[in-house]
Amino acid sequence: MGIEQLLEKAAHYFKENDLNRIKEAYEFAEQAHHGQVRKSGEPYILHPLAVADILVDMQMDVTSIIAALLHDVVEDTTVSLEAVQDKFGPTCAMLVDGLTKLERIKFKTKEEQQNENYRKMLVAMAQDMRVILIKLADRLHNMRTLKYQSEESQRRIADETLEIFCPIAHRLGISAIKWEMEDISLRYLNPQQYYRIVNLMQKKRTEREQYIEDVITNIKDKLREMGIEGDISGRPKHIYSIYKKMSSRNKQFNEIYDLMALRVVVDNIKDCYAALGIIHTLWKPMPGRFKDYIAMPKPNMYQSLHTTVIGPKGEPLEVQIRTWEMHKTAEYGIAAHWTYKEGTTAPEGTFSDKMQWFREILELQKETDNAAEFMESMKMDFFTD
Ligand code: GDP
């Protein structure tokens, strides 16, 4: 992965002018980090480049991409914040400053100090939410390259990720990052269980895939008969969610049926309910398992219809139904909700009002300095689920 590939990908939604600014930021960062290497032995610049790449996938705005490329220059090189500001402007400098400060925070992982950790993160978010989004991408890439760290660091970083960064990703609805970080964390914190689940899943994989293939064909035919366009896919469950199910409900692996779930993505809300009807006529729904998160979205904006039916083999089969727009929100949460001005591509982003609750929390935290009091005053269980 080099800058050329990044620019190629970014060209799908950035204008030439923005692409030039991204290239300039890359060259600036490359020069600043020149001679530095990562623990893997690779040139350091590959890290900020990878972070920028994650943000391009999330379709973040150009300032975020530039700040991602520059996120370590103030902390790790002789470049000053003023120099960043002169060359890339005040917003970009503010983001880099936020990330530099966040880098210096020593998170405490003991349970009773959690409140203080969250407050620190929220203070950073209050400045500009993009700081947190870039930080999450940064942490994801560090997790992907965790094998180059010492064993002790691996455990500490994985622990911190699971305790602090995954819940934040969850609350912001950025599931794509949350799930990957959870799985990597488990691999380092409990390798025995992690690999055991991986192996057990592998064993019945072919059988499971054939089964899901048949189910998909069945639904596809029926949808077509009704004139509904839909994309149906099998969705293997994440290792961490299986692990949690086994430990919280004290179940054995072979007692967990729903290793694979189905996802139906259609064009509009009307088709979501139509698809639900079709599935419920094909297989009997299990009582109490239907959830309408379209009519009642989750606080992180997640929307979908959930149902569990008794599948053709008599086993429970979990199904999610959503539109393409909901799918994007399910993967990228708040990052999918930047509003762009008509006719322009990827300018400065602003968040839509859909996360009003989040704004309120940020306002609230400005008014109080005491971490415990702040968490208490939030009433809603912000970081627990
Ligand atoms: P429920 O009992 O039907 O509400 O479902 P769960 O909370 O057990 O979630 C079932 C599945 O829905 C999960 O495995 C996820 O794939 C998906 N899901 C639930 N909540 C969210 C969410 O906030 N974001 C995303 N992306 N997926 C979610």
Side-chain angles (χ1 to χ4, degrees):
M1 162 85 204
I3 182 66
E4 293 308 325
Q5 281 113 305
L6 182 87
L7 290 170
E8 214 169 283
K9 206 193 276 183
H12 291 296
Y13 75 107
F14 284 121
K15 284 185 176 159
E16 178 127 14
N17 185 29
D18 290 333
L19 295 173
N20 288 338
R21 286 173 65 203
I22 293 172
K23 191 157 183 236
E24 216 178 308
Y26 171 79
E27 281 161 3
F28 185 89
E30 208 242 27
Q31 200 163 29
H33 288 294
H34 193 75
Q36 293 178 346
V37 286
R38 294 262 289 169
K39 286 228 162 66
S40 61
E42 291 176 321
Y44 194 86
I45 188 66
L46 293 183
H47 167 65
L49 189 63
V51 177
D53 183 57
I54 292 167
L55 294 164
V56 168
D57 284 339
M58 289 163 75
Q59 301 194 358
M60 290 297 295
D61 65 329
V62 67
T63 309
S64 301
I65 313 288
I66 292 173
L69 288 166
L70 301 171
H71 81 272
D72 278 332
V73 296
V74 175
E75 180 72 5
D76 294 339
T77 79
T78 55
V79 170
S80 68
L81 193 62
E82 289 71 34
V84 171
Q85 166 144 352
D86 288 347
K87 209 162 163 54
F88 300 99
T91 311
C92 192
M94 178 270 292
L95 295 177
V96 172
D97 189 40
L99 286 154
T100 306
K101 287 187 179 136
L102 207 47
E103 198 54 48
R104 291 179 187 154
I105 292 176
K106 291 281 166 281
F107 291 109
K108 304 165 179 171
T109 45
K110 284 211 192 79
E111 191 124 355
E112 65 268 23
Q113 286 155 342
Q114 271 310 57
N115 287 350
E116 186 57 28
N117 289 331
Y118 291 142
R119 207 182 81 86
K120 285 173 179 169
M121 293 293 276
L122 285 165
V123 168
M125 280 197 258
Q127 198 180 9
D128 191 305
M129 180 91 73
R130 286 173 287 185
V131 172
I132 295 299
L133 297 177
I134 300 168
K135 184 70 193 171
L136 286 172
D138 172 49
R139 178 52 65 116
L140 175 59
H141 183 248
N142 285 337
M143 292 301 288
R144 285 178 181 168
T145 51
L146 207 54
K147 68 172 170 204
Y148 302 107
Q149 296 280 354
S150 68
E151 216 164 292
E152 194 200 327
S153 297
Q154 285 173 346
R155 291 189 69 83
R156 180 182 52 78
I157 296 168
D159 197 41
E160 188 181 89
T161 301
L162 207 51
E163 276 193 51
I164 299 166
F165 291 93
C166 292
I168 287 175
H170 175 70
R171 285 299 167 190
L172 300 179
I174 311 170
S175 310
I177 289 186
K178 177 195 141 186
W179 283 324
E180 188 178 343
M181 291 200 306
E182 279 177 348
D183 279 5
I184 303 174
S185 297
L186 184 64
R187 189 159 96 210
Y188 289 97
L189 290 173
N190 195 340
Q192 215 181 346
Q193 280 290 22
Y194 176 87
Y195 287 109
R196 190 172 153 252
I197 295 172
V198 170
N199 287 333
L200 286 165
M201 283 182 78
Q202 192 61 31
K203 261 191 198 155
K204 292 201 159 179
R205 193 169 157 183
T206 320
E207 190 186 321
R208 198 166 53 235
E209 279 173 357
Q210 185 54 54
Y211 164 70
I212 284 292
E213 230 13 81
D214 296 344
V215 172
I216 289 176
T217 311
N218 213 333
I219 299 176
K220 260 198 184 133
D221 290 346
K222 286 280 183 303
L223 284 182
R224 205 171 296 128
E225 274 173 34
M226 304 291 280
I228 297 170
E229 279 289 324
D231 184 274
I232 309 166
S233 54
R235 176 177 67 84
K237 283 289 182 78
H238 294 90
I239 312 291
Y240 185 74
S241 68
I242 294 172
Y243 166 78
K244 260 202 357 203
K245 218 173 227 184
M246 286 167 68
S247 47
S248 69
R249 300 193 199 153
N250 204 8
K251 285 198 171 173
Q252 292 300 316
F253 182 82
N254 59 13
E255 292 175 273
I256 299 190
Y257 297 110
D258 46 357
L259 295 178
M260 188 78 123
L262 271 192
R263 176 174 299 149
V264 180
V265 188
V266 293
D267 290 334
N268 55 54
I269 292 179
K270 192 168 107 301
D271 287 353
C272 289
Y273 290 101
L276 177 78
I278 289 169
I279 289 163
H280 280 179
T281 48
L282 279 170
W283 302 290
K284 239 187 216 330
M286 282 174 70
R289 294 294 297 266
F290 170 63
K291 306 267 169 60
D292 188 342
Y293 295 118
I294 292 182
M296 281 170 291
K298 290 198 172 186
N300 65 9
M301 298 189 289
Y302 175 76
Q303 285 188 293
S304 280
L305 300 177
H306 286 182
T307 186
T308 304
V309 294
I310 312 285
K313 276 183 167 178
E315 287 179 356
L317 177 66
E318 229 180 82
V319 188
Q320 294 172 335
I321 306 166
R322 54 174 74 148
T323 65
W324 288 105
E325 201 191 334
M326 290 170 195
H327 185 54
K328 197 170 162 201
T329 302
E331 294 286 302
Y332 295 127
I334 196 162
H337 284 262
W338 293 86
T339 49
Y340 297 119
K341 276 201 204 98
E342 202 68 25
T344 59
T345 39
E348 297 301 321
T350 49
F351 285 109
S352 74
D353 286 333
K354 291 198 178 166
M355 279 191 133
Q356 182 58 29
W357 59 270
F358 198 80
R359 244 176 255 268
E360 283 163 14
I361 282 169
L362 296 183
E363 284 307 311
L364 199 61
Q365 79 83 26
K366 280 187 199 154
E367 290 163 17
T368 166
D369 278 340
N370 180 296
E373 189 191 317
F374 166 59
M375 296 304 284
E376 182 58 31
S377 66
M378 289 202 334
K379 294 277 191 286
M380 59 189 285
D381 255 348
F382 186 62
F383 285 106
T384 52
D385 203 296

